[in-house]
Amino acid sequence: MTDLETLSRRLEGQPPGAVLAAALDLWPEAALACSLGLEDVALVHLASQLARPPRIFVLDTGRLHPETYDVLAALRRRYGLPIQLYFPEARAVEAFVDANGPNAFRDSLELRRACCRIRKVEPLARALAGAPAWITGLRRAQGPTREASRLFEADPAHGGIVKISPLLDWSLAQVRALVAEQHIPYNPLHDQGYPSIGCAPCTRAVAEGEDERAGRWWWENPEHKECGLHRRPNPGAQP
Ligand code: SF4
């Protein structure tokens, strides 16, 4: 079995493309979870450079910005790679909205987490079923919930499969530079004060000096700012 901590240390400081290539040598069936945000379009670009790109998927929550769908269309045109979509279970969405209304996520932390579970967490579990590893655009600088992440780590939230974060130690400026240099399609909202983009009703622009993820669920405490996709064992950090 690969020692993930040793692997993380060995590849620390390597360019993200090299980390991605090494990861796919070890886990060729790894899947790339693409949120269509800046980090993930960069990963799609890096993946497209490989002889055998990973499977790429997008979770379509049904509440994304129109601009986000334009990014999806542009990526498909530019790279010609298959990008699988995973939708929430329609019956679960219907029942939740019937019971709680269309914007229940603002009413309580529990309802917000329930909405994320239906629209993101359950579809992610389906997308990852059978995969030995998944590739994410996590960066340490994104906020307090991500500081302790490793390049390679076991993901107990998804059956202990390997979670790979090739951009972990990159800054937002480095990601932006790659996207600009390589003319990678990206969401224009990133130029309007949105460093992190999720569902439209749960994302706002951030002010100068605010944390990168301050605009996600901005009405909640910073330690709650995850949707459950990147749950960590530390009980204080995640839902
Ligand atoms: Fe629901 Fe908001 Fe979570 Fe999207 S980000 S799944 S709209 S609570």
Side-chain angles (χ1 to χ4, degrees), residues 61 63 105 112 115-116 119-120 199 201-202 216-217 227:
T61 65
R63 300 295 298 255
F105 36 78
R112 197 278 283 169
C115 184
C116 282
R119 293 182 186 272
K120 294 181 171 182
C199 291
C202 298
R216 303 292 295 278
W217 310 289
C227 48

Side-chain angles (χ1 to χ4, degrees), residues 36-42 67-72 74-75 78-79 175-176 178-192 194 197:
L36 301 166
L38 205 64
E39 290 80 8
D40 293 340
V41 297
E67 292 88 341
T68 303
Y69 293 101
D70 290 342
V71 176
L72 173 60
L75 284 179
R78 163 86 185 261
Y79 296 109
V175 181
R176 274 193 173 282
L178 177 72
V179 168
E181 278 161 20
Q182 299 300 326
H183 307 288
I184 303 169
Y186 72 99
N187 196 321
L189 292 173
H190 287 304
D191 296 332
Q192 297 166 35
Y194 292 75
I197 302 171

Side-chain angles (χ1 to χ4, degrees), residues 30-47:
L32 195 169
C34 177
S35 69
L36 301 166
L38 205 64
E39 290 80 8
D40 293 340
V41 297
L43 284 176
V44 170
H45 172 81
L46 294 173

Side-chain angles (χ1 to χ4, degrees), residues 34-219:
C34 177
S35 69
L36 301 166
L38 205 64
E39 290 80 8
D40 293 340
V41 297
L43 284 176
V44 170
H45 172 81
L46 294 173
S48 76
Q49 310 296 299
L50 301 172
R52 188 173 176 277
R55 175 167 72 88
I56 302 170
F57 69 85
V58 166
L59 305 180
D60 183 348
T61 65
R63 300 295 298 255
L64 303 177
H65 296 86
E67 292 88 341
T68 303
Y69 293 101
D70 290 342
V71 176
L72 173 60
L75 284 179
R76 288 168 61 98
R77 269 197 305 274
R78 163 86 185 261
Y79 296 109
L81 294 172
I83 300 180
Q84 294 177 300
L85 289 184
Y86 285 82
F87 296 95
E89 293 289 356
R91 297 296 292 273
V93 175
E94 286 167 5
F96 181 77
V97 174
D98 277 351
N100 303 296
N103 294 325
F105 36 78
R106 297 248 172 73
D107 294 344
S108 71
L109 182 58
E110 288 65 35
L111 286 172
R112 197 278 283 169
R113 286 176 173 167
C115 184
C116 282
R117 263 197 306 279
I118 291 167
R119 293 182 186 272
K120 294 181 171 182
V121 176
E122 187 280 330
L124 177 64
R126 263 188 286 129
L128 293 181
W134 64 306
I135 301 154
T136 84
L138 285 193
R139 287 187 302 103
R140 218 186 288 285
Q142 284 167 324
T145 57
R146 299 185 171 188
E147 280 166 1
S149 301
R150 305 292 294 141
L151 269 185
F152 296 84
E153 58 189 339
D155 183 355
H158 297 102
I161 68 171
V162 179
K163 183 155 84 169
I164 303 154
S165 304
L167 297 170
L168 190 64
D169 289 314
W170 264 28
S171 65
L172 180 59
Q174 284 175 294
V175 181
R176 274 193 173 282
L178 177 72
V179 168
E181 278 161 20
Q182 299 300 326
H183 307 288
I184 303 169
Y186 72 99
N187 196 321
L189 292 173
H190 287 304
D191 296 332
Q192 297 166 35
Y194 292 75
S196 174
I197 302 171
C199 291
C202 298
T203 308
R204 66 155 169 75
V206 304
E208 189 85 26
E210 275 191 304
D211 270 358
E212 288 183 27
R213 285 172 64 83
R216 303 292 295 278
W217 310 289
W218 63 92
W219 59 91

